[in-house]
Amino acid sequence: MSAPVLLDALVDDLAAESAELDARVAPLDDDGWRTPSPAAGWDVRDTINHLRFFDRDALLAVTDPAGFAARVQGLGSDAGDYVERLTREGRSTPPAEVLADWRAGREALATALRGLTPGTRVPWFGPPMSPASFVTARLMETWAHGQDVVDALGQDRPATARLRSVAEIGVRARPFSYAVRGLPVPERPLRVELTGPGGERWTWGPEDAGDVVRGPALDFCLLVTQRRHRDDLDLEVTGPAAEEWAGIAQAFAGPPGGGRQPLGSRR
């Protein structure tokens, strides 16, 4: 698959993931938008606002890299509070406006993403990324925050082939999971073996690796996006390097995530 075709396919997947989440929140009344999510202190509106604001930042990064760099530099010592500051800001916006803004923003972002050329490096809060990796990161974040909404509303969400991209960025972010904690990446090779929602087999790493993570793709994606504690997932983790990574895996940029408590501890 050529780079432009791959990019278009990924943008299509991002649009589909966003539309699926949109269909869940669009029917909600104001009380529904205030439903608490599993993310401590956040409700459904906070979650969609988060996607709305970071789609806005993504659009700036794609269309005006220098402007995005200036925005990041302007955060200065407040960089660590950026997410919470945006969260507080978004709480003054009525849900209908949040939804309309998110829709318009993600449509503009999709158009801009399709115009990227191979070889472009898109700046972000972590290292700059290729267009395909950048879209995959947006897809991962949309899927992960969509899981928070699904859990908040007590709904089920069927797994789709789009999980392949979420798993991909989870595997590729392994070095970042260590770097963000100031830890060295183990030299031992590691393999990931996943079963996709249609029974397909997705693999990364050498076949003879002694450290292996294997199981359903959905469970792996929930692990690397820190939407479930590993004790609640059907993953087989073999070897010390795999065990260590399973405890710190993080597919998203930013400081180390706090993860979720085991479901049994919430009773």
Side-chain angles (χ1 to χ4, degrees):
M1 187 181 293
S2 68
V5 173
L6 171 62
L7 183 61
D8 279 348
L10 287 170
V11 175
D12 287 344
D13 280 352
L14 174 58
E17 195 66 45
S18 299
E20 196 271 349
L21 176 55
D22 190 313
R24 294 179 185 277
V25 300
L28 298 177
D29 58 16
D30 285 358
D31 285 342
W33 281 84
R34 287 192 289 267
T35 304
S37 86
W42 281 25
D43 59 17
V44 170
R45 177 170 58 177
D46 293 332
T47 306
I48 301 303
N49 259 325
H50 182 82
L51 294 175
R52 166 193 169 210
F53 286 131
F54 280 89
D55 280 351
R56 178 201 64 187
D57 283 353
L59 179 61
L60 182 64
V62 171
T63 59
D64 182 5
F68 177 80
R71 174 171 292 176
V72 173
Q73 185 175 10
L75 294 176
S77 61
D78 293 332
D81 189 48
Y82 186 51
V83 171
E84 286 308 311
R85 179 158 57 81
L86 290 178
T87 301
R88 293 191 296 269
E89 177 184 324
R91 287 173 179 161
S92 64
T93 308
E97 187 176 333
V98 171
L99 183 57
D101 242 21
W102 178 46
R103 286 171 173 169
R106 71 185 201 240
E107 182 176 344
L109 175 60
T111 299
L113 289 168
R114 293 185 195 279
L116 289 173
T117 57
T120 300
R121 301 298 291 179
V122 183
W124 198 233
F125 295 96
M129 291 179 273
S130 69
S133 293
F134 190 78
V135 179
T136 301
R138 297 307 306 145
L139 173 59
M140 176 275 297
E141 185 164 5
T142 302
W143 181 85
H145 288 292
Q147 184 65 49
D148 291 341
V149 172
V150 168
D151 290 339
L153 299 178
Q155 299 175 350
D156 292 320
R157 178 172 61 169
T160 73
R162 295 191 293 273
L163 288 178
R164 175 67 176 75
S165 292
V166 180
E168 171 78 22
I169 201 168
V171 172
R172 293 177 64 179
R174 181 181 174 230
F176 176 77
S177 301
Y178 283 84
V180 76
R181 291 167 173 80
L183 300 173
V185 181
E187 295 182 2
R188 292 170 60 89
L190 186 143
R191 183 168 174 83
V192 175
E193 301 178 352
L194 305 178
T195 304
E200 59 271 51
R201 189 167 178 259
W202 300 333
T203 64
W204 295 262
E207 293 186 10
D208 61 351
D211 288 80
V212 184
V213 178
R214 61 170 59 91
L218 174 60
D219 288 38
F220 179 78
C221 292
L222 290 168
L223 176 75
V224 298
T225 58
Q226 297 188 2
R227 261 50 194 182
R228 291 289 187 278
H229 191 277
R230 62 166 293 189
D231 290 352
D232 297 317
L233 301 171
D234 186 20
L235 293 172
E236 179 184 343
V237 181
T238 304
E243 283 283 352
E244 182 179 47
W245 181 44
I248 64 172
Q250 176 172 328
F252 49 89
R260 301 285 162 82
Q261 294 299 309
L263 293 175
S265 69
R266 303 178 199 173
R267 299 189 181 100

